[in-house]
């Protein structure tokens, strides 16, 4: 298997560009919720209500909620909306406003919502089990490093999907700043994730990315909120 670094040089010559966005493009939304520890059970109930209501909306293609393993009072809500109009309708929905108002009364930090388009999407059917470990990683680079980072991320996604225990590996690119990316991955269990972290292509990716980063490499572990 060729390494990420081997793939980088010829692909950089192609100058890959971010996908063009249109009103019909799919919207992938990540919302980060951090609440007071004493309110953890309360927010779980609120998130579940929000999840069920959002899944019934026109244009919704999924709402997944994950809970951070080390800090149980922090969550990520990952949503898919088939186009801009369905996303905007959801933003104006009464249940969305009600949910955010209730969260604002118990949060540790304001709601952090990031809207993305697809960049390197996993075409495999979704799969998860009781021990599935979800990993969300932020990759932020200066604008002039965007193209080189795109090459690295595409190669990483392709190789990581072949690793034992990987069940999902998506990379999303933020609409507001295309030099910001979110990796949303899932592994069969903690052991397979730990093995992935030691893979040659994983380590080469991180070594190549490190000098280009505009912010610390932020990788956090989560379990599904059922």
């Amino acid at each position: 298997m060729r390494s990420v670094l081997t793939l980088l040089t010829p692909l950089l010559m192609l100058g890959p560009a971010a996908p063009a966005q249109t009103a019909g493009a799919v919207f992938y939304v990540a919302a980060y919720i951090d609440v007071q520890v004493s309110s953890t059970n309360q927010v779980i109930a609120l998130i579940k209500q929000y999840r069920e209501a959002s899944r019934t909306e026109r244009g919704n293609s999924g709402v997944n909620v994950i809970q951070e393993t080390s800090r149980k009072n922090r969550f990520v809500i990952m949503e898919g909306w088939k186009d801009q109009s369905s996303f905007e309708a959801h933003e104006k929905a009464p249940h969305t406003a009600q949910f955010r108002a209730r969260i604002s009364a118990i949060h540790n930090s304001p709601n952090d919502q990031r809207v993305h388009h697809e960049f390197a999407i996993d075409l495999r059917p979704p799969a998860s089990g009781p021990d599935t470990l979800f990993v969300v990683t932020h990759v932020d680079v200066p604008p002039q490093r965007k193209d080189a980072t795109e090459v690295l991320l595409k190669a990483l996604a392709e190789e990581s999907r072949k690793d034992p225990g990987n069940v999902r590996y998506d990379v999303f690119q933020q609409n507001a700043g295309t030099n910001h990316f979110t990796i949303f991955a899932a592994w069969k269990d903690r052991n397979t994730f730990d093995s992935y972290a030691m893979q040659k292509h994983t380590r080469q990716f991180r070594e190549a990315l490190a000098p280009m980063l505009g912010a610390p490499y932020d990788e956090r572990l989560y379990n599904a909120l059922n």
Side-chain angles (χ1 to χ4, degrees):
M1 179 183 295
R2 290 181 294 171
S3 69
V4 173
L5 292 175
T6 303
L7 289 166
L8 176 60
T9 302
L11 287 175
L12 274 175
M13 298 173 63
L14 299 177
Q21 289 301 289
T22 68
V26 177
F27 279 58
Y28 298 93
V29 183
Y32 300 84
I33 297 175
D34 176 12
V35 300
Q36 300 162 19
V37 173
S38 60
S39 300
T40 300
N41 290 336
Q42 180 183 353
V43 79
I44 287 174
L46 291 174
I47 288 175
K48 286 183 176 180
Q49 293 173 5
Y50 170 81
R51 179 178 62 188
E52 296 312 308
S54 299
R55 284 174 173 172
T56 65
E57 290 185 66
R58 181 190 65 83
N60 178 260
S61 58
V63 180
N64 297 299
V65 182
I66 51 180
Q67 182 177 23
E68 194 168 332
T69 59
S70 60
R71 299 176 67 179
K72 300 292 187 180
N73 58 314
R74 305 208 302 192
F75 305 82
V76 177
I77 303 175
M78 296 292 302
E79 305 172 4
W81 300 94
K82 73 173 186 178
D83 53 29
Q84 183 173 345
S85 63
S86 59
F87 168 67
E88 291 178 348
H90 166 73
E91 289 292 287
K92 297 174 183 177
H95 81 89
T96 302
Q98 184 180 57
F99 171 70
R100 291 176 180 167
R102 291 180 176 178
I103 292 295
S104 68
I106 58 175
H107 69 209
N108 274 335
S109 55
N111 181 53
D112 182 355
Q113 183 189 67
R114 306 184 187 193
V115 182
H116 307 74
H117 54 265
E118 67 178 59
F119 177 74
I121 300 300
D122 198 331
L123 299 180
R124 294 174 294 178
S128 64
D131 298 321
T132 300
L133 182 73
F134 294 86
V135 183
V136 178
T137 307
H138 297 290
V139 176
D140 296 348
V141 297
Q144 65 270 25
R145 299 290 191 177
K146 178 183 72 71
D147 288 356
T149 302
E150 288 180 348
V151 173
L152 289 173
L153 285 169
K154 283 193 174 181
L156 176 70
E158 291 172 1
E159 294 183 17
S160 298
R161 290 171 191 147
K162 302 172 187 176
D163 287 340
N166 178 259
V167 296
R168 194 79 199 168
Y169 210 101
D170 288 317
V171 182
F172 306 113
Q173 190 169 31
Q174 288 188 30
N175 290 357
T178 55
N179 55 312
H180 300 279
F181 304 84
T182 298
I183 302 172
F184 185 77
W187 301 88
K188 180 182 176 182
D189 52 32
R190 178 59 189 263
N191 288 337
T192 54
F193 169 71
D194 288 342
S195 176
Y196 156 79
M198 298 303 296
Q199 293 291 330
K200 182 178 180 180
H201 68 84
T202 307
R203 297 174 68 84
Q204 288 181 329
F205 163 78
R206 294 179 182 181
E207 292 291 335
L209 180 69
M212 299 193 292
L213 286 171
Y217 188 75
D218 188 345
E219 180 181 78
R220 303 184 187 185
L221 310 183
Y222 299 83
N223 295 129
L225 183 67
N226 296 318

